[in-house]
Amino acid sequence: MAASIRGRPSRSIRMRGRNDSGEENVPLDLSRDPSDNLREILQNVAKQQGVSNMRKLGHLNNFIKLLCSAGHSEEKLGFTHEEIIICEVSTYSLLNEAKEVRAAGLRSLRYLIRDSVILQKVLRLQVDYLIARCIDIQQSNEVERTQALRLVRKMITVNALLFPSSVTNSLIAVGNDGLQERDRMVRACIAIICELALKNPVAVAQRGGLSTILKNVMDCQLSRINEALVTTILHLLNHPHTRQYVRSDVELEQILAPYTDFHYRHNADTEEGQLKEDREARFLASKMSIVASFRSWSGIINLCKTGNSGIQSLIGLLCIPNMEVRKGLLEVMYDIFRLPMPVVTEDFIEALISVDPSRFQDSWRLSDGFVASEAKVILPHRARSRPDLMDNYLALVLSAFIKSGLLEGLVEVITSSEDNLSVPATILLGELLHMANTILPQSHSHHLHCLPTLINKAASFDIPQEKRLRASAAVNFLKRFHEKKKRGPKPNSLYLDHIIRKSKASHYCKDQHFRPQRDIFVIKDSEDALMMNLRDSHILNHKENLDWNWVLIATILEWPNVNLRSNKDEQMHKFVRRLLFFYKPSSKLYASLDLDHSKARQLTVVGCQFIEFLLESEEVRGLTVRLNQFRLKHKGLLTALSQHYFLFVGTLSSHPHGVKMLEKCSVFQCLLNICTLKNQDQLLKLTVSTLDYSRDGLSRVILSKILTAAADNCRLYATKHLRVLLRANVEFFSNWGMELLVTQLHDRNKTISMEALDILDEACEDKANLHALIQMKPALTHLGDKGVLLLLRFLSIPKGFSYLNERGYVTKQLEKWQKEYNLKYVDMIEEQLNEALTTYRKPVDGDNYVRRSNQRLQRPNVYLPVHLYGQLVHDKTGCHLLEVQNVVPELSYTVRSPMLDKWEGIKQLKAALWALGNIGSSNWGLNLLQEEGVIPDIVLLAQNCEVLSIRGTCLYVLGLISKTRQGCDSLKQHGWDSVRHSRRTLWPVVPDDVEPQPNPPSLLSSVPSTLSLASDSTGSRHNSESESTQPSMYIMDNERLENCDLSDDPPMYMRPKYKDRSPFTLLASSRFRTRLLHSLSLSGKKLRSTSDLKGNVRGHGGEADTKRGRKRTVTEPSYTFGSSDVFPIYNDSPQCRQHSRSPRP
């Protein structure tokens, strides 16, 4: 490669296009015979003298026009391809002294190479050496080198197996040395090497190109590029045919070097003054590549294999007192587990607040997503019958790290580091313990041992005092962390809180804002007490409104004495008049305060209480607020408390007397008039977000008008607000909300219609909403594949099945799914997983360009898409239809006889696995799988398949099979344990009827490929038998949860009615003191496993699973359970122990 670097041309020259390159405009008559035109072009290009370079450039461009017009046929052109290559390209163009002519020759050659035949002729004439020369040339020749790289990519596209080694060497040379020489083409060359490695790995591996890729991984600090480079290596590790080219023990683990080698230098000639900056850059690049590796099955399996694995090397570093490495590794762990990194601080509370999901985000502003964005984060998804595949993934990674000693390593960091490291380590430990209790099986709860380790350090006097104090502080911090988790996320804005409190179905029965303060003022209901509160509130004799005691004012407004609201007392009358004057818009006392005022939230809450107080009073004349009193400029709405007047209007709209007052004052009419005005986005957002829709009336009329008549932005926001109302469980949503959503499906804006479709898909998780949708019989097929999938949900209940079956839709869909939709389903799932786990972003409609983002989503959800077979097996009739169609035997044959040599065969196998998994997600379908005896075959693939991504698919599929009690019992016979509690059970109770195992399995020595998880409810939730036999020890459905009388400290819509089984309860609950002390004295003793069910329960499950013959037709299943998360884990059976000793699980 040329070592000399000429001066770069000026920007104006570099940015100049072909039309401004100085070429002469040579006329081309396309009406002439193509052979005559080509002869003239070749004669002018081949002339040594008499034709200027700029004229040759014009003829070469005419050659491209001729090819586009006449085609590539030798008969039409009158010359053979060899003659054209020799005469035009190699001899006279690529050897010309002018770089513009050489670039035009490369461009002409790119247009000429159309298929493998022409490419072979080019290589036979050894033109590839000239192409390599153009790549490895002076860097100032950017035009020429750009055309050369475009030609190289065309050669790969036509036939990568014919790619010449000469060009490969040039690309690798630029990739190795380009950064040191500040070559602007280095990234383009690396990208081409990656593309070639995917299509012709032999050519790259033999020339050392894989080492070049890994070297550039450590040079790149852009996440999307770093991820693309690492993913190339991981793709080669996935398949046995390409795995041989990668030395996984050596090459892949290069990405760990900045952490594992304390004296790591990426470049030997790095100056001493730049070492710190260079080391930070390598830490960042290494972190990105490690995280990207843990986003793929091949990366997880190779980094977590038994022996001296990469994950053990990383975790072992936590015990070494190197603060720089510890800090970097904590950042890696936060990224791997999709957790927000707390701010750097020594204050635990400040750090905890910084990672609170309820903390304010910029997207929640009125000018942005407002309440719709906030509710999507705060309120839980309505999914009950579909698993979240991200739970599967996180449980897999979590089990691998726990087995490798991550929790013990974090304890060491907590007790032996400064506060700025101890605090984030404590939060990470709490998050992982909480996550483990939620998504890991009880039999694998040995992660609880880290708490006795921490408490031992807190109570031991054999260690330095500093460590003991840090351990003791960490115990207290974990207790506070646990309490925060118990409370769950709370609404940040008063608007979302208003919606939740006013919802009949929510558990916000009382105001939550000042309950702790009000509890201080619990006093007797007497006149003296009331007068004392009136006097101490300073409202009667103090003119400074903000100095009033607003806590006491709120207490008075909530006073239980009914006589208080008669306003007969003179002092109470003065109290009401003063409050009215303060809140009256024309007084500009409340309305002019800034939104970020320290008392803004308190004043608004008291204002809403005052509205409710007046609505219950005998005299409400002072409450008649007219809209023109608070119709403000947009600037006022964004910055002042005047926007909170809409909360007052919303409070009025939730009360019958308030509705009458709003009608009397023509407030509703004014809001209706605003709906059609332009540039009123903020007013309409506030209107939509504050009105109460629990009663039929003008509020719903206003919402309906905004949904149909407002501007696009407002219609989109109103549509998104319907999701807020759905998740807040607004009363009778199935009666009116579903109708509004169906109307939005026909909106002229596709973004709005697709948003409505997504909300409908979530709404159909509730059976009442699904029944309402079937009753409306909407048209959905015009919305593409997503519309078809929503229509398939009709099949899960008898009424919907009959509706579609009468129209012949079921039979047609069965044919389509067998031909193409099963394969499409694989693409759909993998695209969603890629978008959630990587920087990949789904292409925009009509654009095949793969987009990437520099930011990853913190905790995305990937709910399993609807599958035709999965919906049919919810009912006996649909299951019988699958049996008649012989679906399961055909899919089982694909599983037992996979064709893994080609990607088409791998995709067929994945399609069969997903189909079988969806069939096995209910008891009806599980019977079919057991009769066919295919479950052992899926288990075998999960353990031993050479294509690593197939193992991952099998784990997801086993999670689907284990959604039912019967499925769990069947998998138990094959050595898999399961979690048997709901996704919403944050603190699950261990059932009493479990038999202990002698030792908890040490299974996770082969962790990564043997863990599978399912999601929250059984697939047979809609089955009649599931509703009558679900045991309360395992689940609590939302319907049952909604009727619970719970305490009102935390937000009720998030709090489950379960006994707390978090590890942190060990610190606070007296019933566990004996067990705790026993564990401290016998720290080496392992906990008893509690996952194996007793005989009578277990016997219902999977006897037919071990026999291949069909002994019966589909019959009513014997047992199921309703909404349970089940996570099967391969147990420590003899065959597992033998298997775990192999390099790849």
Side-chain angles (χ1 to χ4, degrees):
M1 184 165 146
S4 61
I5 304 177
R6 295 183 182 177
R8 296 184 182 179
S10 65
R11 178 176 177 84
S12 60
I13 298 177
R14 296 202 311 269
M15 297 299 294
R16 189 169 57 191
R18 286 194 305 271
N19 294 334
D20 301 325
S21 61
E23 67 187 67
E24 293 187 19
N25 186 12
V26 180
L28 175 65
D29 186 4
L30 295 177
S31 62
R32 294 173 56 192
D33 187 82
S35 60
D36 296 336
N37 279 330
L38 182 57
R39 183 178 294 106
E40 179 183 351
I41 292 172
L42 295 180
Q43 287 175 350
N44 283 276
V45 172
K47 284 183 180 180
Q48 297 292 330
Q49 297 178 352
V51 180
S52 66
N53 287 332
M54 294 303 101
R55 189 166 183 82
K56 288 183 179 181
L57 184 59
H59 281 292
L60 288 172
N61 289 333
N62 283 343
F63 172 72
I64 296 173
K65 297 177 184 177
L66 182 63
L67 284 180
C68 295
S69 175
H72 293 67
S73 173
E74 293 180 345
E75 290 77 12
K76 286 186 177 181
L77 296 176
F79 293 87
T80 64
H81 292 143
E82 289 89 343
E83 293 171 343
I84 297 174
I85 295 170
I86 294 173
C87 185
E88 180 196 356
V89 178
S90 62
T91 305
Y92 301 104
S93 297
L94 300 187
L95 297 177
N96 194 287
E97 71 279 2
K99 60 183 180 183
E100 292 81 7
V101 176
R102 296 197 300 269
L106 292 168
R107 182 166 173 262
S108 301
L109 187 58
R110 172 161 56 92
Y111 276 88
L112 179 63
I113 299 176
R114 188 184 59 173
D115 51 35
S116 298
V117 176
I118 301 177
L119 178 58
Q120 286 177 330
K121 294 177 181 178
V122 170
L123 298 178
R124 190 164 52 245
L125 294 172
Q126 297 185 348
V127 181
D128 53 294
Y129 290 99
L130 297 176
I131 300 172
R133 174 180 176 272
C134 294
I135 295 174
D136 191 15
I137 204 169
Q138 294 176 355
Q139 295 182 29
S140 60
N141 295 350
E142 291 185 1
V143 176
E144 178 184 357
R145 300 180 76 199
T146 300
Q147 292 298 333
L149 294 181
R150 289 182 177 180
L151 173 58
V152 168
R153 291 203 66 214
K154 180 65 176 290
M155 295 166 68
I156 296 175
T157 303
V158 171
N159 193 339
L161 298 178
L162 298 176
F163 198 82
S165 59
S166 58
V167 179
T168 306
N169 291 334
S170 293
L171 293 172
I172 293 174
V174 176
N176 284 331
D177 303 327
L179 284 178
Q180 285 76 17
E181 300 182 0
R182 298 185 181 276
D183 192 341
R184 296 179 60 183
M185 296 295 173
V186 61
R187 285 182 177 172
C189 291
I190 293 298
I192 294 174
I193 294 173
C194 290
E195 184 178 4
L196 182 61
L198 298 179
K199 296 185 177 181
N200 188 0
V202 180
V204 177
Q206 289 179 348
R207 299 296 185 277
L210 299 183
S211 297
T212 302
I213 294 175
L214 286 169
K215 178 181 181 296
N216 279 270
V217 167
M218 305 311 300
D219 284 323
C220 182
Q221 287 81 44
L222 291 177
S223 60
R224 51 184 182 175
I225 299 178
N226 189 296
E227 180 184 83
L229 298 178
V230 174
T231 305
T232 302
I233 305 298
L234 298 175
H235 177 81
L236 298 180
L237 287 171
N238 181 54
H239 200 281
H241 291 173
T242 56
R243 194 177 303 141
Q244 56 183 318
Y245 303 117
V246 183
R247 297 173 297 169
S248 58
D249 293 341
V250 179
E251 293 186 322
L252 182 60
E253 295 195 5
Q254 290 180 23
I255 62 178
L256 310 179
Y259 292 102
T260 56
D261 184 359
F262 291 168
H263 305 286
Y264 176 80
R265 280 197 181 191
H266 189 63
N267 298 312
D269 56 350
T270 304
E271 298 179 2
E272 291 294 332
Q274 298 177 348
L275 278 179
K276 183 177 180 181
E277 181 180 353
D278 182 76
R279 188 165 179 79
E280 290 177 354
R282 306 310 164 195
F283 271 143
L284 179 59
S286 178
K287 181 186 76 169
M288 292 177 179
S289 56
I290 293 172
V291 172
S293 298
F294 277 98
R295 298 288 191 257
S296 72
W297 293 109
S298 54
I300 293 173
I301 292 174
N302 281 280
L303 289 176
C304 301
K305 61 191 175 184
T306 55
N308 296 323
S309 64
I311 185 175
Q312 290 174 335
S313 300
L314 288 177
I315 295 176
L317 293 171
L318 293 175
C319 298
I320 300 177
N322 187 315
M323 300 304 125
E324 183 183 20
V325 173
R326 283 182 173 181
K327 178 183 177 183
L329 287 178
L330 287 179
E331 293 176 358
V332 171
M333 299 307 165
Y334 271 100
D335 271 6
I336 287 176
F337 292 105
R338 318 306 297 266
L339 299 171
M341 186 73 186
V343 297
V344 179
T345 177
E346 297 182 359
D347 185 356
F348 177 80
I349 301 302
E350 181 183 354
L352 190 60
I353 292 175
S354 69
V355 296
D356 187 355
S358 302
R359 71 191 186 281
F360 179 78
Q361 301 178 17
D362 290 338
S363 61
W364 298 355
R365 298 183 186 277
L366 176 60
S367 56
D368 203 341
F370 201 39
V371 178
S373 296
E374 180 186 359
K376 203 167 184 179
V377 175
I378 300 298
L379 299 181
H381 194 279
R382 301 291 295 175
R384 296 176 179 175
S385 61
R386 286 187 292 175
D388 181 4
L389 299 183
M390 287 301 297
D391 285 344
N392 302 36
Y393 161 77
L394 285 174
L396 166 74
V397 177
L398 178 61
S399 61
F401 274 93
I402 288 177
K403 180 63 180 180
S404 299
L406 174 60
L407 302 184
E408 290 76 11
L410 289 176
V411 170
E412 181 63 26
V413 174
I414 291 171
T415 57
S416 61
S417 301
E418 297 295 331
D419 288 343
N420 57 355
L421 285 183
S422 178
V423 166
T426 304
I427 293 177
L428 179 59
L429 178 61
E431 290 281 7
L432 296 184
L433 288 172
H434 168 66
M435 192 183 301
N437 270 327
T438 307
I439 63 179
L440 287 185
Q442 180 65 26
S443 58
H444 297 269
S445 60
H446 54 280
H447 54 272
L448 294 178
H449 285 173
C450 76
L451 278 182
T453 303
L454 187 61
I455 297 175
N456 266 331
K457 291 191 175 186
S460 173
F461 288 90
D462 297 331
I463 63 174
Q465 181 182 9
E466 184 180 3
K467 285 190 175 183
R468 185 173 69 252
L469 293 177
R470 290 189 186 280
S472 178
V475 171
N476 293 327
F477 290 158
L478 289 175
K479 182 65 170 63
R480 301 186 73 165
F481 178 88
H482 168 60
E483 292 172 351
K484 191 172 186 65
K485 281 292 184 181
K486 285 178 64 177
R487 289 194 298 268
K490 289 185 177 182
N492 180 277
S493 70
L494 291 172
Y495 299 96
L496 181 58
D497 180 74
H498 169 81
I499 293 171
I500 295 173
R501 287 189 299 107
K502 296 301 179 183
S503 172
K504 294 287 185 179
S506 72
H507 300 289
Y508 263 57
C509 302
K510 299 179 181 180
D511 194 350
Q512 302 296 313
H513 293 286
F514 298 103
R515 184 164 308 281
Q517 291 90 335
R518 287 201 304 270
D519 291 341
I520 299 175
F521 301 100
V522 175
I523 54 179
K524 295 181 179 180
D525 181 17
S526 65
E527 291 294 332
D528 294 338
L530 175 61
M531 292 301 105
M532 182 179 66
N533 278 277
L534 282 173
R535 183 180 66 254
D536 293 343
S537 67
H538 307 303
I539 191 173
L540 301 179
N541 52 16
H542 205 295
K543 294 184 179 180
E544 292 295 331
N545 312 102
L546 298 181
D547 292 337
W548 295 345
N549 191 329
W550 289 96
V551 175
L552 277 180
I553 294 174
T555 303
I556 295 171
L557 294 174
E558 292 289 319
W559 201 268
N561 192 345
V562 179
N563 296 329
L564 176 65
R565 290 164 173 76
S566 63
N567 277 341
K568 294 180 179 179
D569 183 81
E570 181 180 353
Q571 287 188 316
M572 278 304 303
H573 188 65
K574 184 178 181 181
F575 170 81
V576 171
R577 283 191 294 108
R578 289 221 165 185
L579 278 180
L580 273 175
F581 182 78
F582 174 74
Y583 283 107
K584 188 169 61 173
S586 58
S587 66
K588 296 183 180 181
L589 296 175
Y590 169 79
S592 60
L593 294 175
D594 292 337
L595 276 175
D596 56 357
H597 192 277
S598 59
K599 290 188 176 182
R601 187 181 186 95
Q602 184 182 33
L603 295 176
T604 302
V605 171
V606 173
C608 292
Q609 294 174 349
F610 184 47
I611 297 291
E612 295 172 349
F613 174 87
L614 293 178
L615 286 172
E616 297 174 2
S617 302
E618 294 180 359
E619 299 181 11
V620 293
R621 289 175 296 179
L623 194 55
T624 55
V625 180
R626 300 182 182 277
L627 184 64
N628 54 12
Q629 289 184 283
F630 59 89
R631 183 186 299 173
L632 304 172
K633 298 179 180 180
H634 290 183
K635 183 178 180 181
L637 289 179
L638 289 174
T639 60
L641 280 182
S642 54
Q643 70 169 238
H644 286 175
Y645 280 117
F646 282 88
L647 285 171
F648 299 166
V649 174
T651 304
L652 288 170
S653 67
S654 64
H655 196 281
H657 294 309
V659 172
K660 293 179 181 179
M661 294 176 60
L662 292 174
E663 292 178 357
K664 182 179 180 180
C665 298
S666 302
V667 174
F668 281 139
Q669 186 59 47
C670 291
L671 293 176
L672 282 170
N673 295 336
I674 293 176
C675 292
T676 55
L677 298 179
K678 295 182 179 180
N679 301 323
Q680 300 295 327
D681 295 6
Q682 295 167 6
L683 286 174
L684 293 181
K685 280 184 180 182
L686 290 167
T687 301
V688 168
S689 303
T690 52
L691 291 180
D692 182 79
Y693 305 104
S694 58
R695 297 181 180 86
D696 190 14
L698 287 176
S699 293
R700 294 183 186 175
V701 173
I702 292 172
L703 177 61
S704 178
K705 189 169 183 180
I706 294 175
L707 285 167
T708 54
D712 286 1
N713 292 337
C714 296
R715 296 204 315 278
L716 179 60
Y717 178 82
T719 305
K720 290 181 177 181
H721 190 72
L722 291 174
R723 189 195 302 271
V724 181
L725 301 177
L726 169 69
R727 294 189 178 184
N729 217 0
V730 173
E731 196 173 19
F732 305 123
F733 184 85
S734 59
N735 294 345
W736 57 273
M738 297 296 289
E739 184 177 351
L740 293 178
L741 285 171
V742 170
T743 303
Q744 295 306 95
L745 293 177
H746 303 280
D747 194 281
R748 58 185 180 273
N749 189 320
K750 188 175 181 180
T751 303
I752 296 175
S753 60
M754 296 309 293
E755 181 70 21
L757 182 64
D758 186 60
I759 300 172
L760 278 173
D761 182 60
E762 181 177 345
C764 287
E765 296 294 332
D766 295 330
K767 188 185 293 186
N769 294 333
L770 182 58
H771 277 282
L773 185 63
I774 295 173
Q775 188 69 28
M776 287 182 278
K777 301 177 181 179
L780 298 171
T781 54
H782 70 285
L783 296 169
D785 291 340
K786 290 186 176 181
V788 172
L789 294 181
L790 180 60
L791 193 60
L792 293 180
R793 299 193 70 130
F794 290 14
L795 301 174
S796 61
I797 57 178
K799 182 179 179 181
F801 181 87
S802 301
Y803 166 67
L804 294 179
N805 195 36
E806 290 171 359
R807 290 156 176 77
Y809 186 79
V810 179
T811 304
K812 293 179 181 178
Q813 282 298 311
L814 278 172
E815 295 176 358
K816 287 183 178 180
W817 279 78
Q818 289 177 349
K819 291 180 180 179
E820 56 176 331
Y821 274 14
N822 276 327
L823 296 176
K824 278 188 176 182
Y825 189 80
V826 176
D827 294 334
M828 187 184 309
I829 286 183
E830 294 190 347
E831 184 176 58
Q832 291 182 18
L833 286 171
N834 289 337
E835 194 165 5
L837 292 171
T838 69
T839 60
Y840 168 84
R841 294 294 176 265
K842 185 177 180 180
V844 181
D845 293 337
D847 184 9
N848 293 325
Y849 178 72
V850 176
R851 299 180 297 123
R852 291 187 179 272
S853 170
N854 280 328
Q855 295 182 350
R856 291 186 177 93
L857 302 177
Q858 281 296 338
R859 181 63 172 86
N861 298 109
V862 182
Y863 292 104
L864 189 75
V866 175
H867 195 289
L868 172 65
Y869 302 162
Q871 298 302 303
L872 287 174
V873 295
H874 280 287
D875 185 72
K876 184 177 180 179
T877 306
C879 206
H880 181 70
L881 181 61
L882 289 179
E883 188 177 24
V884 172
Q885 293 280 344
N886 210 32
V887 170
V888 174
E890 293 179 1
L891 297 173
S892 301
Y893 176 79
T894 303
V895 171
R896 291 170 182 144
S897 305
M899 300 176 62
L900 303 178
D901 293 336
K902 296 183 179 180
W903 291 111
E904 292 77 9
I906 294 175
K907 191 174 180 180
Q908 289 281 358
L909 176 58
K910 288 182 178 180
L913 288 170
W914 282 115
L916 290 171
N918 277 277
I919 292 173
S921 62
S922 77
N923 286 340
W924 299 111
L926 184 63
N927 289 335
L928 294 179
L929 301 190
Q930 290 177 331
E931 291 169 6
E932 187 62 32
V934 72
I935 295 180
D937 299 304
I938 299 176
V939 171
L940 191 62
L941 281 176
Q943 299 168 10
N944 301 319
C945 186
E946 286 298 313
V947 180
L948 304 185
S949 61
I950 294 295
R951 296 192 192 184
T953 303
C954 290
L955 297 177
Y956 288 131
V957 168
L958 291 176
L960 292 177
I961 293 174
S962 60
K963 285 177 62 178
T964 62
R965 175 76 169 273
Q966 185 178 347
C968 292
D969 295 338
S970 178
L971 289 178
K972 182 67 176 178
Q973 296 177 2
H974 299 286
W976 293 73
D977 295 331
S978 307
V979 166
R980 308 190 183 213
H981 60 76
S982 168
R983 177 190 295 136
R984 298 186 182 179
T985 308
L986 300 179
W987 319 107
V989 176
V990 182
D992 295 331
D993 59 340
V994 294
E995 61 183 39
Q997 296 177 348
N999 292 304
S1002 61
L1003 96 46
L1004 296 175
S1005 58
S1006 57
V1007 193
S1009 66
T1010 57
L1011 175 65
S1012 175
L1013 302 132
S1015 142
D1016 111 327
S1017 77
T1018 76
S1020 55
R1021 168 162 176 78
H1022 302 300
N1023 294 359
S1024 58
E1025 73 274 14
S1026 70
E1027 296 176 358
S1028 60
T1029 60
Q1030 52 191 14
S1032 60
M1033 73 176 67
Y1034 290 100
I1035 60 104
M1036 176 175 280
D1037 282 344
N1038 282 2
E1039 291 85 358
R1040 294 166 61 184
L1041 191 62
E1042 289 164 6
N1043 295 326
C1044 294
D1045 184 16
L1046 304 177
S1047 63
D1048 51 5
D1049 289 335
M1052 292 296 100
Y1053 61 95
M1054 291 294 295
R1055 182 174 179 177
K1057 186 184 176 184
Y1058 293 105
K1059 183 174 292 185
D1060 193 341
R1061 287 292 305 213
S1062 164
F1064 308 128
T1065 310
L1066 294 172
L1067 311 177
S1069 178
S1070 59
R1071 65 177 300 184
F1072 290 110
R1073 289 175 183 170
T1074 304
R1075 185 184 302 180
L1076 173 59
L1077 295 174
H1078 185 62
S1079 66
L1080 290 175
S1081 60
L1082 299 174
S1083 59
K1085 185 176 180 180
K1086 296 185 178 181
L1087 296 179
R1088 289 169 42 178
S1089 172
T1090 56
S1091 64
D1092 201 2
L1093 298 179
K1094 285 188 175 180
N1096 62 334
V1097 178
R1098 185 176 177 178
H1100 286 293
E1103 296 177 0
D1105 188 52
T1106 58
K1107 299 180 181 180
R1108 300 278 176 124
R1110 289 177 176 264
K1111 301 198 301 185
R1112 56 179 173 77
T1113 58
V1114 178
T1115 57
E1116 183 172 354
S1118 56
Y1119 205 83
T1120 185
F1121 54 138
S1123 295
S1124 65
D1125 282 343
V1126 278
F1127 308 102
I1129 297 186
Y1130 187 49
N1131 214 334
D1132 198 22
S1133 59
Q1135 61 266 34
C1136 175
R1137 289 193 295 269
Q1138 180 182 3
H1139 168 70
S1140 66
R1141 289 192 291 268
S1142 61
R1144 291 183 299 274

